Amino acid sequence: MKVLCVFCLSLFCIVSSFADEVVLKNGNHLTGDIVKLDDNKLVLKTDFADEIHIKWDAVSSFSAKSPVVVQTADKKVTVTNLERKDTMIAMNTGQPVEIEAANIKTLRSQGEQDSYEASLHPGLMAGWAGGANFGLALATGNSETLSVSTGMNLNRATLNDKLSLYATSVYNKDNVADSVTANAIQGGLRYDRNITKRLFFFIGSDFEYNDLQKLDIRAVPNGGLGFHAINSPRTVLDLFGGLSYTYEKYGTGVTNNIFAPSFGEELSHKLTANTVFKEKAFFFPYVTGDQAGDYRFAFDAGVSTKISRWLTWQTSLSDRYVSNPIPGTKGNDLLLSTGLGLTLAGKK
């Protein structure tokens, strides 16, 4: 029994020696991997609770198995040990150094520091996250139908900007009746650039095609200002306001040119470690020409569940409503796409 206890104690010491240790002012000891100092909170990745965020003022000291990079107002130093003495920080960079705790701007593990520096000037093909899905349904025998659906949502986010690409399509044909019952494509792109930590400007354009609505093309370039109302690791909520121009061309020969303000919101929420919910909505009230008093509403939502590193199950929904559809058509169109998809593992 004594041998077993000694063995377990030795094993614990060996495991602990391969983990960073954070000591709190109340005497508690936490082990894991130090990730970074963010928003005045030390982020520690643990086996028992994933990432935990510790108030920086509550930290008494830490020791790291690998060097961490400390950035002050005027220099960058690499340390493995740090001790807090009231408002001062003592650390060894080859020789003892003391600085005020308030002077530490950032603190990152070497891996996090490498990722940060790479994100400052990333290549256009680097850092993409998101995925695309494809769905197929085929029936033969008493019925002869073909249904194809696709969905895509890709984002490339850096510290200062974000580029988004998105698309949804649905095609359905009844071969017995020799008729197409659905044929629509919706998509777009948008670029966001931070002005301050909360405020950003955006510019983009949406595109639509709908065979049954006799819509050959709807192009909606738009731009304006946005506000990060919520920006946490689990939830991001942005609010938008700006101006838009809508060009519509129908198969009947009708062409519309519409200027309108635009208002919207976009939400991303991490439901679980592997499931993310996203939605966005935009409202376009028409204020010029013959369309004054009418409006258009656009809504997109999706749920993505990660099955493996590259494989996901994705569901995308898009809804478009116009208050002034051309005669003989409905004003509302809804597209639903679901199926297995590939995912990109870039930073989201």
Side-chain angles (χ1 to χ4, degrees), residues 69-327:
V69 180
V70 176
Q71 178 74 55
T72 65
D74 56 353
K75 61 182 178 180
K76 183 169 62 178
V77 296
T78 302
V79 302
T80 55
N81 289 277
L82 178 150
E83 184 178 357
R84 194 180 195 114
K85 300 176 180 178
D86 295 326
T87 62
M88 301 300 292
I89 296 290
M91 49 192 180
N92 196 322
T93 62
Q95 59 183 6
V97 175
E98 274 199 357
I99 62 174
E100 290 189 12
N103 285 342
I104 294 182
K105 303 302 180 184
T106 62
L107 182 153
R108 302 183 181 93
S109 67
Q110 189 61 59
E112 189 76 12
Q113 182 69 22
D114 292 342
S115 298
Y116 166 76
E117 292 179 357
S119 70
L120 295 178
H121 305 287
L124 184 59
M125 300 305 294
W128 286 95
N133 68 278
F134 176 81
L136 175 67
L138 178 67
T140 62
N142 292 316
S143 60
E144 298 281 346
T145 61
L146 171 66
S147 297
V148 179
S149 63
T150 63
M152 178 191 72
N153 196 322
L154 300 176
N155 297 285
R156 176 185 175 273
T158 72
L159 292 175
N160 300 312
D161 61 4
K162 182 176 75 170
L163 181 62
S164 304
L165 302 174
Y166 42 90
T168 304
S169 71
V170 171
Y171 176 83
N172 189 81
K173 183 178 181 180
D174 186 333
N175 290 320
V176 174
D178 192 26
S179 65
V180 175
T181 57
N183 186 12
I185 303 172
Q186 299 168 357
L189 71 165
R190 197 180 78 222
Y191 176 74
D192 300 353
R193 180 77 182 186
N194 290 334
I195 301 173
T196 66
K197 190 174 182 179
R198 290 282 189 176
L199 190 66
F200 64 94
F201 76 83
F202 70 93
I203 186 171
S205 187
D206 292 321
F207 304 93
E208 297 177 38
Y209 164 80
N210 193 316
D211 185 23
L212 299 187
Q213 205 179 58
K214 299 181 174 60
L215 178 65
D216 291 338
I217 181 68
R218 175 182 289 129
V220 191
N222 57 88
L225 294 176
F227 178 73
H228 297 301
I230 301 175
N231 193 5
S232 70
R234 288 181 61 88
T235 305
V236 176
L237 174 62
D238 293 337
L239 306 178
F240 303 92
L243 297 173
S244 68
Y245 164 73
T246 300
Y247 171 76
E248 296 176 336
K249 182 180 179 182
Y250 291 89
T252 59
V254 174
T255 301
N256 293 324
N257 294 276
I258 307 166
F259 289 92
S262 61
F263 308 95
E265 56 81 25
E266 183 171 5
L267 172 70
S268 175
H269 180 65
K270 194 172 184 179
L271 298 174
T272 67
N274 296 317
T275 302
V276 177
F277 169 76
K278 295 183 178 182
E279 67 85 19
K280 62 181 178 181
F282 271 87
F283 177 66
F284 304 88
Y286 298 161
V287 295
T288 62
D290 297 336
Q291 290 80 26
D294 287 310
Y295 62 91
R296 187 168 58 86
F297 179 74
F299 176 79
D300 298 279
V303 176
S304 175
T305 300
K306 194 172 183 179
I307 300 173
S308 66
R309 183 178 180 184
W310 297 104
L311 195 62
T312 61
W313 182 271
Q314 296 193 101
T315 299
S316 302
L317 182 146
S318 294
D319 190 20
R320 300 292 185 270
Y321 178 81
V322 292
S323 63
N324 59 337
I326 63 173

Side-chain angles (χ1 to χ4, degrees), residues 1-17:
M1 185 67 180
K2 289 182 179 180
V3 174
L4 180 61
C5 291
V6 171
F7 174 76
C8 292
L9 181 60
S10 300
L11 182 62
F12 174 78
C13 293
I14 292 172
V15 172
S16 298
S17 68

